[in-house]
C-alpha cells in the first residue's frame, strides 16, 4: 500500500534529481529537443511582401504590390517604423502621392465604376454608394474576399510611360513653344488658362526622378500623370506655325535630314495620344479633356477633318464622364478656408468654359460637315461661365464679372461666339423637316433671329465702325483678327439656314447668295490679316469653299436670276482661287480643292454664257485694269493695318473690289456672249408642273450634297463625260487636279473615300 501510495503521490526531491540526472545521461536521440524561441522582431515590409517572402522596397504602395495590381492591399503593421515614416512623408508630399496616411483601399463603388457604370449619371452605382454610406464603420471593401488580379501590368505601364515622356524636348524648347502656342492659338477658343498650365508645368519639373522610375504614373496625382499628354499637344500645335527661316534653334529638334516641322508636330501629337491611351479612361480629369480638344484642333490644322470630327466626339464623351456637363457634379472646396473656396469657384468656371467650347465645336462641325452631333440639344441648357478677367492669384481673387470699361478678353470672344452659334442648333433641327416644310414661317423667324444677333455684336468685334480703343492694349493684340472671323460665323448661319431651300424657295436663294458673298468678303479680309505661316487655319478653307459651292449652285441651276450680283460673284470667285493658290503650299485642303474650283468655274462660265474673249487664263476680266486693289483697300478693310500684299491674276491685271459684298452694279456687257446666253436661257424649261411633289426632294445637309447632286445636274446632251475633260488638261496649277487611274479619277492631296473630293471620281452627267 505504501509503495503504491508513494507511486501515486507527488515525486520527492530526490526522485526529481534522479530524473534530471537520468535525462542528462540519456542519449541525445532519446528525447526531442524543444523548438528554439523565436526572436521578437518588428516587420518593416508590407504585409503582402512579408506573406509572399519577397523583398519589399517599403513604399506605399510598394513596387511589388503595384506590379500585381494589389495597391489596395499594400499596408504595414501598426507601429512599424515604415508606417510612421510614410505618415510623415505623406504630410509633406504636396500631392505627388496619396496624402492619406491610412492604407488606401478602393471602395466598392470605385471598383464597380470600373465595370463601366457612370459616376455622373443615373445607374446602379448610385445604390451602391447608398449601401456604402449606410454603415461607415464597416466599409464593403473590408468584407470582400481577396481576389485581386495578378501580373506584371504595372511594370509594363511604368516602362511605357517613361519611354513616352523621354520624347519631350528640353525645357528651353518647351518654354519657347508654349509661348508661341498661347500667343498664336489659344486666344481663338480660350481653352487653356496660362496660370494653371504654368503651375502644372512647374509641378511636373519638380518631380523627383526616382518617383517615375519606381512608382511610375500611378505614383502621381491623376491630373499630373496625364499632363504630358496635354503638353505634347501644345508643342505639336505650336510647331505648325514655324517656317524654314525660323530661329535655327528649333532645327535641332528634328531627327531626320529632310524632316519638316509639321512632321515633328505629328510625332508629338501622336505621342500625346499614346499617353492618354496608356492611362485609359478610369481616372480622367479636366486635363484629359483639354488634351483631347487640342488633339481634335490639331487634326483640323493638318487637314484630317474626318478624324477631327471623331476626336471631338470622343472628347465630349470624356467630358461627360467626369460630369462637367452637369452643375450638380461641380467640385466641392477642399477645405473651409477662403482660399480653398475661391480656388474651387475658379475651377467651376473653368469647367463651364470648356463645356461651352465643346458645345460650339460639336454644333458648328456638324453643320459644316453635315455629320451628326454628339450632344443632345434637348437637354438642359448649360450654365455659361462668367465673363471675368483672368486672375493673377486664384486663391485671393473672387469671380466677378468684367466691368463695362474693362478691355475684352479671349473669354469675352468665346462667350459671344457661343451666342452667335446658338441658332445653329435650331437650324439643324429644322433641316429634319426636309426642303419643303409645311410652314416657312419658322425659316423667316430664324432669319430674323440671326439679324437680331448680328445687331447685338459688341462694338469691339464689329467689322464696320468698330471700337478700337483697346487695339493697342498688350492683352488685346488679337482683336483685329476677331473682327474678320466673327462675321464668318454670322454668314455661315445664314448659309446653313437657307441652303436646304434654294431649290424650292426663291427668297432662300436670294438670302443664301447674299450670305455666300458676305462670307467671301469676310474671308478675303481675314486672309489679308494673316502671315503665310498662318495659312493652315482651317476656317480659311471651309468658309471660302462652302460659299463658292453654294453660290455656284445657284447661278448654275438658276442662271437668269440675280444678274445684278453676277459681276461681284465672279470677282470673288477669282479672289478665292488666288487665295487657295497662295495657301496651297501650307494648306493641304486648299491644295486639293484647286482642281474642284477650276471645274466649277468652267461650269459657271458655261451657264452664265461668259465669252471666251472676256477671259484670260481661265479668269474673267471683270474690272478695268486702271483700278487697283490697293486703291480701295482702305474702304474695304476696317483693320488698323495695311494689307499684307495684293493678289493679282497671272495675267497681270489688277482688280478693285466693291465696297460691300452685296454690290448691285450691273454686269459688264462685254462679259456676256448674247448667242450663248440665249442658248443657255432658252435651252431649258425652268418651269415645273403645278402638281410637282416638293417633298420628293431630299434635304441638303452639307456642301458635299450640293457639289455632287446639284453642280453636276445640268445636261447639254445625254453623253457621259468624265471629270478629267472639264477643260483642265493643260492646267498646271498644282494639287487637286483629277488624275485618271484604273479605278476612275483620283484627287491628289491625301483625302479619303469619305471626303468631298472622292465624289468626283465618278463619271459626271454633262
Amino acid at each position: 500500500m505504501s509503495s503504491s501510495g508513494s507511486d501515486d503521490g507527488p515525486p520527492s526531491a530526490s526522485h526529481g534529481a534522479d530524473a534530471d540526472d537520468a535525462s542528462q545521461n540519456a542519449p541525445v536521440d532519446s528525447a526531442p529537443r524543444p523548438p528554439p524561441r523565436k526572436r521578437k522582431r518588428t516587420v518593416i515590409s508590407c504585409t503582402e511582401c512579408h506573406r509572399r517572402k519577397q523583398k519589399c522596397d517599403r513604399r506605399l504602395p510598394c513596387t511589388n504590390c503595384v506590379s500585381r495590381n494589389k495597391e489596395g492591399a499594400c499596408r504595414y503593421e501598426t507601429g512599424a517604423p515604415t508606417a510612421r515614416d510614410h505618415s510623415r512623408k505623406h504630410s509633406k508630399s504636396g500631392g505627388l502621392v496619396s496624402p492619406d496616411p491610412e492604407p488606401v483601399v478602393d471602395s466598392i463603388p470605385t471598383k464597380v465604376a470600373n465595370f463601366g457604370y457612370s459616376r455622373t449619371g443615373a445607374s446602379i452605382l448610385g445604390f451602391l454608394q447608398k449601401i456604402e454610406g449606410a454603415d461607415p464603420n464597416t466599409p464593403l471593401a473590408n468584407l470582400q474576399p481577396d481576389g485581386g488580379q495578378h501580373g506584371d501590368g504595372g511594370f509594363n505601364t511604368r516602362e511605357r510611360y517613361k519611354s513616352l515622356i523621354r520624347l519631350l524636348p528640353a525645357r528651353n524648347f518647351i518654354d519657347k513653344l508654349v509661348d508661341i502656342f498661347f500667343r498664336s492659338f489659344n486666344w481663338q477658343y480660350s481653352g487653356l488658362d496660362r496660370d494653371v498650365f504654368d503651375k502644372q508645368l512647374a509641378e511636373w519639373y519638380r518631380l523627383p526622378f526616382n518617383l517615375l522610375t519606381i512608382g511610375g504614373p500611378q505614383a502621381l496625382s491623376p491630373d499630373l500623370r496625364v499632363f504630358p499628354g496635354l503638353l505634347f499637344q501644345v508643342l505639336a500645335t505650336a510647331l505648325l506655325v514655324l517656317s524654314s527661316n525660323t530661329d535655327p534653334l528649333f532645327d535641332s529638334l528634328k531627327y531626320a535630314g529632310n524632316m519638316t516641322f509639321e512632321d515633328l508636330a505629328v510625332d508629338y501629337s501622336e505621342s500625346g495620344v499614346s499617353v492618354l491611351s496608356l492611362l485609359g479612361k478610369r481616372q480622367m480629369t479636366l486635363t484629359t479633356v483639354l488634351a483631347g480638344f487640342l488633339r481634335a484642333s490639331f487634326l483640323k490644322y493638318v487637314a484630317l477633318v474626318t478624324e477631327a470630327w471623331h476626336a471631338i466626339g470622343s472628347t465630349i464623351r470624356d467630358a461627360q464622364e467626369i460630369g462637367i456637363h452637369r452643375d450638380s457634379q461641380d467640385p466641392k472646396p477642399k477645405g473651409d478656408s477662403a482660399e480653398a473656396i475661391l480656388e474651387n469657384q475658379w475651377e467651376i468656371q473653368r469647367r463651364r468654359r470648356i463645356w461651352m467650347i465643346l458645345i460650339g465645336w460639336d454644333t458648328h462641325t456638324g453643320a459644316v460637315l453635315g455629320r451628326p452631333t454628339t450632344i443632345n440639344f434637348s437637354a438642359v441648357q448649360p450654365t455659361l461661365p462668367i465673363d471675368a478677367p483672368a486672375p493673377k492669384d486664384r486663391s485671393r481673387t473672387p469671380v466677378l464679372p468684367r466691368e463695362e470699361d474693362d478691355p475684352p478678353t479671349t473669354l469675352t470672344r468665346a462667350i459671344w461666339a457661343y451666342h452667335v452659334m446658338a441658332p445653329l442648333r435650331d437650324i439643324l433641327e429644322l433641316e429634319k423637316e426636309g426642303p419643303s416644310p409645311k410652314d416657312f414661317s419658322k425659316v423667316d423667324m430664324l432669319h430674323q433671329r440671326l439679324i437680331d444677333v448680328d445687331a447685338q455684336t459688341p462694338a469691339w468685334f464689329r467689322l464696320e465702325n468698330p471700337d478700337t480703343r483697346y487695339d493697342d492694349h498688350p492683352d488685346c493684340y488679337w482683336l483685329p483678327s476677331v473682327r474678320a472671323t466673327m462675321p464668318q460665323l454670322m454668314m455661315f448661319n445664314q448659309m446653313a439656314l437657307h441652303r436646304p431651300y434654294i431649290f424650292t424657295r426663291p427668297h432662300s436663294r436670294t438670302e443664301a447668295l447674299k450670305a455666300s458673298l458676305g462670307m467671301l468678303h469676310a474671308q478675303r479680309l481675314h486672309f489679308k490679316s494673316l502671315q503665310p505661316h498662318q495659312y493652315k487655319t482651317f476656317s480659311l478653307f471651309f468658309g471660302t469653299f462652302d460659299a463658292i459651292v453654294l453660290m455656284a449652285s445657284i447661278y448654275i441651276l438658276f442662271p437668269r436670276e440675280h444678274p445684278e450680283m453676277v459681276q461681284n460673284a465672279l470677282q470673288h470667285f477669282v479672289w478665292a482661287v488666288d487665295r487657295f493658290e497662295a495657301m496651297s503650299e501650307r494648306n493641304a485642303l486648299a491644295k486639293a480643292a484647286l482642281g474642284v474650283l477650276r471645274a466649277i468655274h468652267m461650269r459657271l462660265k458655261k451657264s452664265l454664257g461668259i465669252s471666251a474673249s472676256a477671259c484670260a487664263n481661265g479668269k474673267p476680266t471683270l474690272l478695268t485694269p486702271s483700278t487697283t486693289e490697293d486703291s480701295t483697300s482702305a474702304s474695304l478693310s476696317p483693320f488698323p493695318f495695311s494689307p499684307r500684299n495684293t493678289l493679282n491674276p497671272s495675267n497681270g491685271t489688277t482688280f478693285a473690289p466693291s465696297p460691300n459684298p452685296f454690290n448691285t452694279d450691273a454686269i459688264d456687257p462685254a462679259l456676256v456672249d448674247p448667242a450663248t446666253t440665249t442658248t443657255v436661257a432658252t435651252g431649258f424649261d425652268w418651269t415645273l408642273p403645278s402638281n410637282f411633289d416638293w417633298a420628293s426632294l431630299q434635304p441638303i445637309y452639307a456642301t458635299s450634297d450640293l457639289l455632287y447632286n446639284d453642280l453636276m445636274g445640268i445636261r447639254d446632251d445625254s453623253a457621259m463625260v468624265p471629270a478629267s475633260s472639264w477643260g483642265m488638261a493643260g492646267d498646271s496649277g498644282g494639287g487637286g487636279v483629277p488624275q485618271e487611274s484604273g479605278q476612275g479619277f483620283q484627287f491628289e492631296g491625301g483625302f479619303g473615300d469619305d471626303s468631298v473630293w472622292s465624289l468626283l471620281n465618278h463619271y459626271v452627267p454633262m
Side-chain angles (χ1 to χ4, degrees), residues 179-188 194 408 410 470-483 529 534 639-641:
D179 290 337
I180 292 175
F181 171 82
F182 279 95
R183 179 77 181 182
S184 302
F185 290 96
N186 193 60
W187 65 265
Q188 300 179 27
R194 184 63 188 268
T410 56
Y470 303 110
D471 284 16
D472 295 330
H473 194 281
D475 295 333
C476 298
Y477 62 91
W478 44 269
L479 266 179
S481 296
V482 170
R483 296 191 189 111
S529 68
Q534 297 174 304
F639 296 106
F641 46 81

Short mmCIF file of all heavy atoms in Angstrom, two decimals, residues 179-188 194 408 410 470-483 529 534 639-641:
data_model
loop_
_atom_site.label_atom_id
_atom_site.label_comp_id
_atom_site.label_asym_id
_atom_site.label_seq_id
_atom_site.Cartn_x
_atom_site.Cartn_y
_atom_site.Cartn_z
N ASP A 179 5.10 79.53 -75.32
CA ASP A 179 4.83 80.95 -75.58
C ASP A 179 4.19 81.14 -76.96
O ASP A 179 3.26 81.95 -77.13
CB ASP A 179 6.12 81.76 -75.49
CG ASP A 179 6.62 81.88 -74.05
OD1 ASP A 179 5.80 81.72 -73.12
OD2 ASP A 179 7.83 82.11 -73.86
N ILE A 180 4.68 80.41 -77.96
CA ILE A 180 4.12 80.51 -79.31
C ILE A 180 2.67 80.04 -79.31
O ILE A 180 1.80 80.67 -79.94
CB ILE A 180 4.96 79.69 -80.30
CG1 ILE A 180 6.35 80.32 -80.46
CG2 ILE A 180 4.26 79.57 -81.65
CD1 ILE A 180 7.29 79.51 -81.33
N PHE A 181 2.40 78.96 -78.62
CA PHE A 181 1.03 78.44 -78.59
C PHE A 181 0.06 79.46 -77.98
O PHE A 181 -1.00 79.73 -78.57
CB PHE A 181 0.98 77.14 -77.80
CG PHE A 181 -0.41 76.65 -77.54
CD1 PHE A 181 -1.11 75.93 -78.50
CD2 PHE A 181 -1.04 76.92 -76.34
CE1 PHE A 181 -2.40 75.50 -78.27
CE2 PHE A 181 -2.34 76.48 -76.09
CZ PHE A 181 -3.01 75.77 -77.06
N PHE A 182 0.40 80.01 -76.84
CA PHE A 182 -0.53 80.93 -76.19
C PHE A 182 -0.64 82.25 -76.94
O PHE A 182 -1.67 82.92 -76.86
CB PHE A 182 -0.10 81.17 -74.74
CG PHE A 182 -0.51 80.09 -73.80
CD1 PHE A 182 0.35 79.05 -73.48
CD2 PHE A 182 -1.78 80.08 -73.24
CE1 PHE A 182 -0.05 78.04 -72.62
CE2 PHE A 182 -2.18 79.07 -72.38
CZ PHE A 182 -1.31 78.05 -72.07
N ARG A 183 0.38 82.61 -77.67
CA ARG A 183 0.32 83.85 -78.44
C ARG A 183 -0.45 83.68 -79.75
O ARG A 183 -1.22 84.56 -80.15
CB ARG A 183 1.75 84.32 -78.75
CG ARG A 183 1.84 85.59 -79.58
CD ARG A 183 1.55 86.81 -78.75
NE ARG A 183 1.61 88.04 -79.54
CZ ARG A 183 1.45 89.25 -79.04
NH1 ARG A 183 1.22 89.39 -77.73
NH2 ARG A 183 1.49 90.32 -79.80
N SER A 184 -0.30 82.54 -80.41
CA SER A 184 -0.83 82.38 -81.76
C SER A 184 -2.13 81.59 -81.83
O SER A 184 -2.90 81.77 -82.77
CB SER A 184 0.22 81.70 -82.67
OG SER A 184 1.41 82.45 -82.72
N PHE A 185 -2.39 80.72 -80.85
CA PHE A 185 -3.52 79.80 -80.99
C PHE A 185 -4.55 79.92 -79.87
O PHE A 185 -5.75 79.88 -80.15
CB PHE A 185 -3.01 78.35 -81.03
CG PHE A 185 -2.26 78.00 -82.27
CD1 PHE A 185 -0.88 78.04 -82.30
CD2 PHE A 185 -2.93 77.62 -83.43
CE1 PHE A 185 -0.19 77.72 -83.45
CE2 PHE A 185 -2.24 77.30 -84.58
CZ PHE A 185 -0.87 77.35 -84.59
N ASN A 186 -4.11 80.03 -78.65
CA ASN A 186 -5.04 79.85 -77.53
C ASN A 186 -6.13 80.92 -77.50
O ASN A 186 -7.23 80.66 -77.00
CB ASN A 186 -4.28 79.85 -76.20
CG ASN A 186 -5.12 79.37 -75.05
OD1 ASN A 186 -5.62 78.25 -75.04
ND2 ASN A 186 -5.32 80.24 -74.07
N TRP A 187 -5.87 82.11 -78.02
CA TRP A 187 -6.88 83.16 -77.96
C TRP A 187 -8.10 82.83 -78.81
O TRP A 187 -9.19 83.37 -78.59
CB TRP A 187 -6.29 84.49 -78.44
CG TRP A 187 -5.88 84.51 -79.89
CD1 TRP A 187 -4.64 84.26 -80.39
CD2 TRP A 187 -6.71 84.80 -81.02
NE1 TRP A 187 -4.65 84.37 -81.77
CE2 TRP A 187 -5.92 84.70 -82.17
CE3 TRP A 187 -8.05 85.13 -81.16
CZ2 TRP A 187 -6.40 84.92 -83.45
CZ3 TRP A 187 -8.56 85.34 -82.44
CH2 TRP A 187 -7.73 85.25 -83.56
N GLN A 188 -7.97 81.91 -79.77
CA GLN A 188 -9.07 81.62 -80.67
C GLN A 188 -10.23 80.93 -79.95
O GLN A 188 -11.39 81.11 -80.33
CB GLN A 188 -8.58 80.75 -81.83
CG GLN A 188 -7.49 81.41 -82.65
CD GLN A 188 -7.01 80.54 -83.78
OE1 GLN A 188 -7.73 79.69 -84.29
NE2 GLN A 188 -5.76 80.71 -84.19
N ARG A 194 -3.36 80.19 -68.82
CA ARG A 194 -1.90 80.22 -68.77
C ARG A 194 -1.38 79.99 -67.36
O ARG A 194 -0.39 79.27 -67.16
CB ARG A 194 -1.39 81.57 -69.31
CG ARG A 194 0.15 81.65 -69.38
CD ARG A 194 0.69 80.63 -70.36
NE ARG A 194 2.13 80.52 -70.37
CZ ARG A 194 2.94 81.20 -71.19
NH1 ARG A 194 2.42 82.07 -72.04
NH2 ARG A 194 4.23 81.01 -71.16
N PRO A 408 -11.86 93.83 -73.38
CA PRO A 408 -12.39 92.47 -73.63
C PRO A 408 -11.29 91.43 -73.50
O PRO A 408 -10.11 91.72 -73.73
CB PRO A 408 -12.94 92.56 -75.05
CG PRO A 408 -12.16 93.66 -75.69
CD PRO A 408 -11.86 94.66 -74.60
N THR A 410 -10.18 87.07 -74.11
CA THR A 410 -10.45 85.95 -75.01
C THR A 410 -11.71 85.19 -74.57
O THR A 410 -12.40 84.61 -75.41
CB THR A 410 -9.26 85.00 -75.05
OG1 THR A 410 -8.93 84.57 -73.72
CG2 THR A 410 -8.04 85.71 -75.63
N TYR A 470 -9.03 99.51 -77.57
CA TYR A 470 -8.15 98.55 -76.92
C TYR A 470 -7.25 97.82 -77.91
O TYR A 470 -6.60 96.83 -77.53
CB TYR A 470 -8.98 97.53 -76.15
CG TYR A 470 -9.90 98.15 -75.13
CD1 TYR A 470 -11.28 98.15 -75.32
CD2 TYR A 470 -9.39 98.74 -73.98
CE1 TYR A 470 -12.13 98.72 -74.38
CE2 TYR A 470 -10.23 99.32 -73.04
CZ TYR A 470 -11.60 99.30 -73.25
OH TYR A 470 -12.44 99.87 -72.32
N ASP A 471 -7.20 98.27 -79.15
CA ASP A 471 -6.37 97.58 -80.13
C ASP A 471 -4.89 97.61 -79.77
O ASP A 471 -4.14 96.68 -80.13
CB ASP A 471 -6.58 98.18 -81.52
CG ASP A 471 -7.90 97.75 -82.14
OD1 ASP A 471 -8.75 97.24 -81.37
OD2 ASP A 471 -8.09 97.92 -83.35
N ASP A 472 -4.46 98.65 -79.09
CA ASP A 472 -3.05 98.76 -78.71
C ASP A 472 -2.78 98.18 -77.32
O ASP A 472 -1.64 98.23 -76.85
CB ASP A 472 -2.62 100.23 -78.74
CG ASP A 472 -2.66 100.80 -80.15
OD1 ASP A 472 -2.46 100.03 -81.11
OD2 ASP A 472 -2.92 102.02 -80.29
N HIS A 473 -3.79 97.66 -76.67
CA HIS A 473 -3.60 97.06 -75.36
C HIS A 473 -2.78 95.77 -75.51
O HIS A 473 -3.04 94.96 -76.41
CB HIS A 473 -4.95 96.75 -74.72
CG HIS A 473 -4.88 96.45 -73.26
ND1 HIS A 473 -4.49 95.22 -72.77
CD2 HIS A 473 -5.14 97.21 -72.16
CE1 HIS A 473 -4.53 95.23 -71.45
NE2 HIS A 473 -4.92 96.43 -71.05
N PRO A 474 -1.78 95.55 -74.67
CA PRO A 474 -0.92 94.36 -74.86
C PRO A 474 -1.68 93.05 -74.76
O PRO A 474 -1.26 92.04 -75.36
CB PRO A 474 0.12 94.49 -73.75
CG PRO A 474 -0.46 95.45 -72.76
CD PRO A 474 -1.32 96.39 -73.54
N ASP A 475 -2.78 93.01 -74.02
CA ASP A 475 -3.56 91.78 -73.89
C ASP A 475 -4.65 91.64 -74.93
O ASP A 475 -5.37 90.64 -74.94
CB ASP A 475 -4.19 91.71 -72.50
CG ASP A 475 -3.15 91.60 -71.39
OD1 ASP A 475 -2.05 91.08 -71.67
OD2 ASP A 475 -3.43 92.05 -70.26
N CYS A 476 -4.78 92.63 -75.82
CA CYS A 476 -5.85 92.61 -76.84
C CYS A 476 -5.28 92.62 -78.25
O CYS A 476 -5.91 93.13 -79.18
CB CYS A 476 -6.79 93.79 -76.64
SG CYS A 476 -7.66 93.81 -75.06
N TYR A 477 -4.10 92.06 -78.43
CA TYR A 477 -3.47 92.03 -79.75
C TYR A 477 -4.29 91.24 -80.76
O TYR A 477 -4.13 91.39 -81.97
CB TYR A 477 -2.07 91.41 -79.63
CG TYR A 477 -2.09 89.98 -79.15
CD1 TYR A 477 -2.16 88.91 -80.04
CD2 TYR A 477 -2.05 89.68 -77.80
CE1 TYR A 477 -2.18 87.61 -79.60
CE2 TYR A 477 -2.08 88.38 -77.35
CZ TYR A 477 -2.14 87.35 -78.25
OH TYR A 477 -2.18 86.06 -77.79
N TRP A 478 -5.20 90.38 -80.29
CA TRP A 478 -5.97 89.50 -81.14
C TRP A 478 -7.25 90.16 -81.67
O TRP A 478 -7.94 89.58 -82.52
CB TRP A 478 -6.36 88.25 -80.35
CG TRP A 478 -6.84 88.57 -78.97
CD1 TRP A 478 -6.08 88.67 -77.83
CD2 TRP A 478 -8.17 88.90 -78.58
NE1 TRP A 478 -6.86 89.02 -76.76
CE2 TRP A 478 -8.15 89.17 -77.19
CE3 TRP A 478 -9.38 88.99 -79.25
CZ2 TRP A 478 -9.29 89.52 -76.47
CZ3 TRP A 478 -10.52 89.34 -78.55
CH2 TRP A 478 -10.47 89.60 -77.17
N LEU A 479 -7.60 91.34 -81.19
CA LEU A 479 -8.87 91.96 -81.56
C LEU A 479 -9.04 92.18 -83.07
O LEU A 479 -10.11 91.89 -83.61
CB LEU A 479 -9.02 93.29 -80.82
CG LEU A 479 -9.79 93.26 -79.50
CD1 LEU A 479 -9.85 94.64 -78.87
CD2 LEU A 479 -11.20 92.72 -79.71
N PRO A 480 -8.04 92.71 -83.80
CA PRO A 480 -8.25 92.91 -85.25
C PRO A 480 -8.60 91.62 -85.99
O PRO A 480 -9.43 91.64 -86.91
CB PRO A 480 -6.91 93.49 -85.71
CG PRO A 480 -6.34 94.15 -84.50
CD PRO A 480 -6.75 93.29 -83.35
N SER A 481 -8.00 90.51 -85.59
CA SER A 481 -8.31 89.25 -86.27
C SER A 481 -9.72 88.78 -85.98
O SER A 481 -10.38 88.18 -86.84
CB SER A 481 -7.30 88.17 -85.85
OG SER A 481 -5.99 88.51 -86.26
N VAL A 482 -10.21 89.06 -84.78
CA VAL A 482 -11.56 88.64 -84.43
C VAL A 482 -12.59 89.37 -85.30
O VAL A 482 -13.63 88.80 -85.66
CB VAL A 482 -11.83 88.89 -82.94
CG1 VAL A 482 -13.29 88.69 -82.59
CG2 VAL A 482 -10.97 87.95 -82.10
N ARG A 483 -12.32 90.62 -85.66
CA ARG A 483 -13.28 91.37 -86.47
C ARG A 483 -13.46 90.76 -87.85
O ARG A 483 -14.48 90.99 -88.49
CB ARG A 483 -12.80 92.82 -86.59
CG ARG A 483 -12.78 93.54 -85.26
CD ARG A 483 -12.58 95.03 -85.42
NE ARG A 483 -12.36 95.62 -84.12
CZ ARG A 483 -11.22 96.14 -83.70
NH1 ARG A 483 -10.18 96.16 -84.52
NH2 ARG A 483 -11.11 96.65 -82.50
N SER A 529 -5.17 89.71 -93.23
CA SER A 529 -4.63 89.98 -91.90
C SER A 529 -3.64 88.92 -91.44
O SER A 529 -3.07 89.05 -90.36
CB SER A 529 -5.77 90.08 -90.88
OG SER A 529 -6.40 88.82 -90.69
N GLN A 534 0.49 81.34 -91.17
CA GLN A 534 -0.81 81.12 -90.55
C GLN A 534 -1.84 80.57 -91.53
O GLN A 534 -3.02 80.48 -91.19
CB GLN A 534 -1.33 82.44 -89.97
CG GLN A 534 -0.46 83.01 -88.86
CD GLN A 534 -0.93 84.39 -88.43
OE1 GLN A 534 -1.03 85.31 -89.24
NE2 GLN A 534 -1.22 84.53 -87.15
N PHE A 639 -9.45 97.15 -90.69
CA PHE A 639 -8.33 96.88 -89.81
C PHE A 639 -7.39 98.08 -89.75
O PHE A 639 -7.23 98.82 -90.72
CB PHE A 639 -7.54 95.66 -90.29
CG PHE A 639 -8.35 94.40 -90.24
CD1 PHE A 639 -8.85 93.83 -91.39
CD2 PHE A 639 -8.65 93.81 -89.03
CE1 PHE A 639 -9.61 92.69 -91.34
CE2 PHE A 639 -9.41 92.67 -88.97
CZ PHE A 639 -9.88 92.10 -90.13
N PRO A 640 -6.71 98.27 -88.61
CA PRO A 640 -5.80 99.41 -88.47
C PRO A 640 -4.46 99.19 -89.14
O PRO A 640 -3.58 100.01 -89.00
CB PRO A 640 -5.63 99.51 -86.95
CG PRO A 640 -5.84 98.13 -86.46
CD PRO A 640 -6.86 97.52 -87.37
N PHE A 641 -4.30 98.07 -89.87
CA PHE A 641 -3.04 97.82 -90.54
C PHE A 641 -3.29 97.72 -92.03
O PHE A 641 -4.40 97.47 -92.48
CB PHE A 641 -2.36 96.55 -90.01
CG PHE A 641 -3.29 95.40 -89.89
CD1 PHE A 641 -3.62 94.64 -90.99
CD2 PHE A 641 -3.84 95.08 -88.66
CE1 PHE A 641 -4.48 93.58 -90.88
CE2 PHE A 641 -4.70 94.02 -88.55
CZ PHE A 641 -5.02 93.27 -89.65
#
